[in-house]
Amino acid sequence: MSSRYYSALKTMEQLENVYFPRVSQYRFCQLMIENLPKLREDIKEISMSDLKDFLESIRKHSDKIGETAMKQAQQQKTFSVALQKQNRVQFGKNMYFNDRIPEERNEVELKRAFEEEDENEEEVLTVQDLVDFSPVYRCLHIYSVLGDEETFENYYRKQRKKQARLVLQPQSNMHETVDGYRRYFTQIVGFFVVEDHILHVTQGLVTRAYTDELWNMALSKIIAVLRAHSSYCTDPDLVLELKNLIVLFADTLQGYGFPVNRLFDLLFEIRDQYNETLLKKWAGVFRDIFEEDNYSPIPIVNEEEYKVVISKFPFQDPDLEKQSFPKKFPMSQSVPHIYIQVKEFIYASLKFSESLHRSSTEIDDMLRKSTNLLLTRTLSSCLLNLIRKPHIGLTELVQIIINTTHLEQACRYLEDFITNITNISQETVHTTRLYGLSTFKDARHAAEGEIYTKLNQKIDEFVQLADYDWTMSEPDGRASGYLMDLINFLRSIFQVFTHLPGKVAQTACMSACQHLSTSLMQMLLDSELKQISMGAVQQFNLDVIQCELFASSEPVPGFQGDTLQLAFIDLRQLLDLFMVWDWSTYLADYGQPASKYLRVNPNTALTLLEKMKDTSKKNNIFAQFRKNDRDKQKLIETVVKQLRSLVNGMSQHT
């Protein structure tokens, strides 16, 4: 019956304009004339009912319409990409005639694209194939004939705007799966594909201004929705799939004439988030690598193993190449693993940059910036956390310093790697450099500081084992056991330090000697130690002599003269002063640049002398002095007074 709506209206128009005037005097004619408005209204209602059914139908089938349109856009894109690759290969044949692999691979890709095109050719459907638009055409026609076209247009646009708002409202859990995003996009694409078709096949039902207004409203909502929901994504793979969907969504609608620049601007925001998720993922990767490393040089027993390592990491050392097997690389296993994972990160970052309609130079710059974040933030943080872990000892710290040196040297190869995968010529590169130098230098400095700290802690552990008899009358005649163990430890650890840069090893050695000297001095001056005999001083002197012998043996090469021995100069002058009992010289030369006891502070001398004075009173340590010369005790009292005078003078001067 609906197919006869228009014919019925034309018939009524003909009756009204041609036949009724001729028979208007008859009553049946008047009855018919009176019924014409009602008939027209009935036809309007019936056609409007058909339109409502149509609107409900396209609302339900928007996702199918959008899915078809996006699938067609994807097929066209796949074909175009394969064709572009083939064209590049054809253009570069003269340059790459010795390397057939790229050409053959692209020919295969093009062939596959053609095959896919052929397979899908029968499946290609248009919006007319999926939707019966005849109710719209008839209804528009009927309202036009009835002179009420404006009512129809207003109703259609109002209803479609309501549907648009429903389509643009996402599911609350859309961010959890890629299918959630896909359904959202296909419904929106389906909506606008229908509007585009209506725009082009009807006169004035919708206008370009109307669709532009509708699209701009929708675009603002879409961007807000995607910005909110994408922020929940913590999986880089899901973010990457979302990016690919947005690109396909944008390309599809751009093909229908809708502007999509704002979507690509949004993709740059999402790209930053994608990089954040990558950085978090790679932080875990780096932590696992560091946990599994044994922090020992990589051993190799044959040429095959050697080639495996250098295939993973760009290492060049002519001296190592000349050595016979078995031999060792200087770095540990984590170095090639870290290098490989940095390259994997660059590949992962590149995946997002593809299809963003950006130049190779821009993509190259983006890759360098994201790689810099990986080095300066993620890897640097993992290295610093590793260095500060309690179970990382001195040997491991030495290996970490060696590792960071080799990773730093490999940064130039990473720069070349980025340049190669983005097809940027060396002459045009004027982009960001990689900050590996600062990253690994900072890590080395932290490791060096940790070495000094742990070395001092180890020295403290040995010193805590000291068990002096401070009241002994005679020394044992040999150095204390704890000190000899400490010196043996230092000798062995400094052998490991030979692999470190010279200044690091020298600084560590000097720091250790200075710390040991300070610790021994603090032991003598400890406020809880009330008495010290001359025998104890002589025993202590034997230990300091061993320290001086160790320093003079050049445990680490590169020190000038007796530089290292000077770490113990304060102890040496203090002990000499007491053992020789050379107070007259000390007091006479005090304050003179050429003083024999220049490094002995009066306060230090006074503290130690008072400990010995108490011992002499209680234990008769100075009995031989009193037997031979009763004035010796008075001399001690006199020296104490003079030292106190010097100390008081110093405090007043300051």
Side-chain angles (χ1 to χ4, degrees):
M1 183 178 182
S2 60
S3 60
R4 296 196 294 271
Y5 294 156
Y6 180 68
S7 298
L9 286 174
K10 296 303 291 183
T11 300
M12 282 189 282
E13 185 179 356
Q14 189 177 20
L15 286 172
E16 196 171 32
N17 294 329
V18 178
Y19 296 108
F20 283 171
R22 297 178 186 176
V23 292
S24 59
Q25 68 274 22
Y26 298 104
R27 181 168 175 76
F28 77 88
C29 181
Q30 290 298 322
L31 292 173
M32 291 181 68
I33 291 173
E34 290 174 2
N35 282 329
L36 287 180
K38 184 178 183 305
L39 290 173
R40 289 191 175 100
E41 286 299 321
D42 289 344
I43 291 174
K44 282 174 64 175
E45 288 179 7
I46 293 171
S47 63
M48 181 60 73
S49 177
D50 288 349
L51 176 65
K52 290 177 180 179
D53 291 342
F54 165 79
L55 290 173
E56 180 63 19
S57 175
I58 60 172
R59 185 188 69 79
K60 291 180 178 178
H61 296 96
S62 280
D63 55 345
K64 179 63 177 176
I65 299 168
E67 181 183 344
T68 302
M70 291 176 72
K71 184 177 180 181
Q72 292 171 4
Q74 182 63 61
Q75 292 169 358
Q76 180 61 39
K77 183 176 181 179
T78 301
F79 179 77
S80 299
V81 168
L83 192 60
Q84 288 172 5
K85 288 182 178 179
Q86 178 67 11
N87 289 339
R88 283 200 295 269
V89 170
Q90 292 293 339
F91 178 77
K93 269 186 178 180
N94 293 333
M95 296 174 62
Y96 298 101
F97 61 88
N98 288 325
D99 185 1
R100 296 289 299 172
I101 296 175
E103 179 181 341
E104 291 171 1
R105 183 166 58 246
N106 282 280
E107 286 177 351
V108 169
E109 289 178 0
L110 184 64
K111 182 179 179 182
R112 186 183 300 119
F114 275 120
E115 289 173 351
E116 290 177 0
E117 189 77 9
D118 291 340
E119 289 174 5
N120 295 316
E121 190 171 354
E122 296 180 3
E123 301 175 10
V124 174
L125 300 173
T126 64
V127 66
Q128 296 98 311
D129 298 322
L130 297 169
V131 180
D132 178 15
F133 285 92
S134 56
V136 180
Y137 305 150
R138 287 195 301 269
C139 197
L140 176 61
H141 207 166
I142 287 169
Y143 272 75
S144 299
V145 170
L146 295 174
D148 204 7
E149 186 176 359
E150 184 177 349
T151 299
F152 176 77
E153 290 175 1
N154 291 338
Y155 178 81
Y156 177 85
R157 295 182 185 182
K158 181 179 179 181
Q159 294 303 313
R160 288 296 278 164
K161 282 183 178 179
K162 287 183 179 178
Q163 290 186 350
R165 292 188 182 94
L166 290 174
V167 165
L168 294 170
Q169 188 65 37
Q171 294 292 323
S172 59
N173 62 343
M174 181 178 75
H175 59 275
E176 294 177 359
T177 64
V178 70
D179 288 336
Y181 287 107
R182 186 178 288 110
R183 283 192 297 271
Y184 182 68
F185 288 132
T186 54
Q187 288 180 356
I188 295 172
V189 169
F191 178 92
F192 282 99
V193 166
V194 169
E195 290 306 286
D196 179 76
H197 180 77
I198 294 293
L199 172 68
H200 286 92
V201 299
T202 62
Q203 293 294 327
L205 179 56
V206 297
T207 62
R208 175 57 67 185
Y210 162 80
T211 56
D212 286 348
E213 178 189 350
L214 198 58
W215 171 243
N216 287 330
M217 179 274 292
L219 191 56
S220 296
K221 177 69 174 176
I222 292 165
I223 289 173
V225 166
L226 292 177
R227 187 177 283 138
H229 279 260
S230 65
S231 65
Y232 296 117
C233 292
T234 57
D235 178 7
D237 294 332
L238 180 57
V239 179
L240 185 61
E241 288 187 274
L242 171 60
K243 167 257 174 180
N244 291 332
L245 273 177
I246 294 174
V247 170
L248 180 57
F249 173 73
D251 288 345
T252 303
L253 287 173
Q254 190 173 39
Y256 286 91
F258 295 99
V260 294
N261 288 342
R262 288 170 63 191
L263 284 173
F264 284 99
D265 292 340
L266 172 68
L267 281 173
F268 274 87
E269 292 181 32
I270 296 178
R271 183 184 182 278
D272 292 338
Q273 182 192 337
Y274 174 70
N275 279 336
E276 286 298 320
T277 61
L278 284 183
L279 292 173
K280 289 180 182 177
K281 179 179 178 179
W282 257 260
V285 171
F286 291 150
R287 283 194 296 269
D288 291 343
I289 290 173
F290 290 141
E291 285 293 329
E292 294 168 5
D293 196 6
N294 61 7
Y295 299 98
S296 300
I298 302 172
I300 41 174
V301 298
N302 53 44
E303 186 70 25
E304 287 74 21
E305 290 185 1
Y306 182 86
K307 288 180 179 178
V308 168
V309 175
I310 61 174
S311 69
K312 296 177 181 177
F313 183 75
F315 180 83
Q316 296 175 345
D317 185 351
D319 293 335
L320 184 64
E321 290 180 19
K322 294 173 185 176
Q323 293 178 22
S324 58
F325 293 100
K327 52 188 174 182
K328 293 180 180 180
F329 283 97
M331 65 278 187
S332 67
Q333 195 62 53
S334 63
V335 171
H337 289 165
I338 290 292
Y339 183 79
I340 289 171
Q341 284 303 319
V342 172
K343 291 172 70 174
E344 288 297 321
F345 174 89
I346 294 170
Y347 274 128
S349 186
L350 177 64
K351 286 180 182 178
F352 197 98
S353 301
E354 292 172 342
S355 305
L356 292 187
H357 302 201
R358 297 288 167 168
S359 68
S360 296
T361 303
E362 289 176 295
I363 292 175
D364 183 275
D365 194 51
M366 286 189 289
L367 284 182
R368 291 172 186 272
K369 287 178 179 177
S370 59
T371 306
N372 273 332
L373 280 177
L374 179 74
L375 295 176
T376 60
R377 203 171 81 187
T378 306
L379 181 55
S380 176
S381 176
C382 289
L383 277 169
L384 292 176
N385 288 336
L386 170 70
I387 289 165
R388 291 168 184 151
K389 285 189 174 181
H391 72 273
I392 296 295
L394 290 166
T395 305
E396 288 85 356
L397 288 169
V398 170
Q399 188 63 58
I400 289 170
I401 290 175
I402 295 168
N403 289 351
T404 55
T405 302
H406 289 286
L407 285 169
E408 179 185 325
Q409 294 168 353
C411 279
R412 62 188 180 93
Y413 295 100
L414 290 174
E415 290 191 335
D416 293 341
F417 173 72
I418 294 174
T419 300
N420 290 335
I421 64 174
T422 54
N423 296 318
I424 295 292
S425 63
Q426 293 288 351
E427 292 76 15
T428 60
V429 173
H430 52 83
T431 50
T432 308
R433 309 297 295 180
L434 294 186
Y435 302 145
L437 183 68
S438 61
T439 296
F440 299 119
K441 187 176 291 183
D442 290 345
R444 269 200 306 281
H445 287 164
E448 290 165 12
E450 201 68 21
I451 282 177
Y452 308 147
T453 300
K454 286 186 182 294
L455 196 54
N456 290 349
Q457 289 173 349
K458 201 69 179 176
I459 290 171
D460 291 341
E461 291 175 12
F462 279 99
V463 171
Q464 286 172 5
L465 299 175
D467 187 22
Y468 289 101
D469 177 5
W470 295 110
T471 60
M472 65 195 314
S473 57
E474 297 290 336
D476 291 341
R478 60 180 182 276
S480 303
Y482 87 91
L483 191 83
M484 297 309 298
D485 291 341
L486 170 56
I487 289 174
N488 289 333
F489 164 76
L490 291 175
R491 288 191 191 281
S492 64
I493 201 66
F494 289 139
Q495 284 294 317
V496 178
F497 284 14
T498 56
H499 300 293
L500 289 174
K503 289 186 178 179
V504 178
Q506 290 171 20
T507 303
C509 188
M510 176 59 79
S511 171
C513 289
Q514 289 175 336
H515 185 72
L516 176 55
S517 177
T518 301
S519 299
L520 293 174
M521 181 68 81
Q522 289 173 346
M523 195 185 302
L524 276 179
L525 304 178
D526 187 355
S527 60
E528 294 185 4
L529 178 60
K530 303 301 182 182
Q531 301 173 26
I532 300 178
S533 67
M534 182 57 74
V537 170
Q538 292 169 344
Q539 178 63 42
F540 202 81
N541 180 60
L542 292 176
D543 291 347
V544 173
I545 289 173
Q546 289 300 322
C547 293
E548 291 170 323
L549 289 173
F550 168 73
S552 64
S553 68
E554 199 175 19
V556 169
F559 285 106
Q560 298 292 324
D562 58 353
T563 303
L564 195 57
Q565 290 170 270
L566 292 176
F568 300 97
I569 190 66
D570 289 15
L571 275 172
R572 170 49 49 216
Q573 291 188 8
L574 178 66
L575 292 172
D576 283 352
L577 173 60
F578 275 80
M579 293 178 66
V580 178
W581 208 250
D582 196 8
W583 293 106
S584 57
T585 303
Y586 174 76
L587 294 170
D589 294 346
Y590 178 75
Q592 301 298 319
S595 172
K596 182 179 178 180
Y597 304 103
L598 181 65
R599 305 287 300 182
V600 179
N601 184 290
N603 201 19
T604 303
L606 178 60
T607 301
L608 185 56
L609 186 59
E610 288 184 327
K611 293 175 186 289
M612 296 184 71
K613 181 183 69 170
D614 292 341
T615 306
S616 69
K617 289 180 180 178
K618 294 180 181 180
N619 296 326
N620 239 5
I621 294 300
F622 291 90
Q624 68 269 27
F625 294 146
R626 289 197 294 277
K627 288 178 182 178
N628 299 326
D629 190 350
R630 300 287 182 179
D631 294 334
K632 290 290 186 179
Q633 185 63 36
K634 293 181 180 179
L635 176 60
I636 295 176
E637 297 291 346
T638 302
V639 171
V640 167
K641 289 180 181 179
Q642 289 177 305
L643 287 174
R644 283 177 178 161
S645 176
L646 289 176
V647 170
N648 292 333
M650 289 171 58
S651 60
Q652 291 174 5
H653 180 71
T654 56

